[in-house]
Amino acid sequence: QVQLIESGGGLVQAGGSLRLACAVTGRTFSSYFMGWFRQAPGKEREFVAAIRWSDDSPWYGDSGKGRFTIARDIAKQTLYLQMNSLRSEDTAVYYCAAGTTGRIEYVRSYDYWGQGTQVTVSS
């Protein structure tokens, strides 16, 4: 059974940093792309960043450009999201996801989802 388990969320002051991690268990994801999405209360799930597991090519949504960095560690089967210069508007539940086909920034392109980790940025 495939599982994506996020960690690293928490409470941080504006301007601070957090690193999220997503541990992948159950299978290898060499043909997958993996992404980070976020969802704030009352808002739709939003694409943050994604990466192709095989070649480390990153993509960033508007919310992730410039301040966030996505990376993966193949040996550890772990996906990361380094978030710097955090703002109050970054407050959301952050989800890790894995998919194989479709547009990398679309929610519907992803087949597997983690349970989410809360990030709260205080101003």
Side-chain angles (χ1 to χ4, degrees), residues 6-42:
E6 300 101 333
S7 62
L11 175 64
V12 63
Q13 288 188 334
S17 298
L18 281 175
R19 188 176 77 156
L20 306 183
C22 173
V24 180
T25 62
R27 65 177 299 168
T28 58
F29 280 80
S30 59
S31 62
Y32 278 67
F33 48 80
M34 295 196 68
W36 288 99
F37 290 77
R38 69 185 187 185
Q39 189 166 19

Side-chain angles (χ1 to χ4, degrees), residues 2-69:
V2 175
Q3 278 193 310
L4 305 177
I5 303 173
E6 300 101 333
S7 62
L11 175 64
V12 63
Q13 288 188 334
S17 298
L18 281 175
R19 188 176 77 156
L20 306 183
C22 173
V24 180
T25 62
R27 65 177 299 168
T28 58
F29 280 80
S30 59
S31 62
Y32 278 67
F33 48 80
M34 295 196 68
W36 288 99
F37 290 77
R38 69 185 187 185
Q39 189 166 19
K43 295 188 176 181
E44 293 187 353
R45 198 162 292 191
E46 175 187 28
F47 173 69
V48 176
I51 194 168
R52 290 201 179 275
W53 200 257
S54 59
D55 63 13
D56 206 19
S57 301
W59 279 263
Y60 294 96
D62 289 341
S63 60
K65 287 178 183 177
R67 297 181 296 123
F68 296 177
T69 303

Side-chain angles (χ1 to χ4, degrees), residues 39-118:
Q39 189 166 19
K43 295 188 176 181
E44 293 187 353
R45 198 162 292 191
E46 175 187 28
F47 173 69
V48 176
I51 194 168
R52 290 201 179 275
W53 200 257
S54 59
D55 63 13
D56 206 19
S57 301
W59 279 263
Y60 294 96
D62 289 341
S63 60
K65 287 178 183 177
R67 297 181 296 123
F68 296 177
T69 303
I70 190 170
R72 93 278 188 259
D73 186 322
I74 294 177
K76 294 182 179 179
Q77 289 277 93
T78 301
L79 179 73
Y80 299 99
L81 183 69
Q82 177 67 42
M83 305 186 295
N84 299 326
S85 302
L86 285 163
R87 307 165 182 164
S88 57
E89 54 262 40
D90 296 318
T91 296
V93 177
Y94 284 71
Y95 296 92
C96 166
T100 55
T101 59
R103 292 285 296 267
I104 205 166
E105 69 270 34
Y106 289 173
V107 170
R108 63 177 179 264
S109 299
Y110 292 80
D111 305 305
Y112 302 101
W113 292 84
Q115 82 287 353
T117 185
Q118 177 71 46

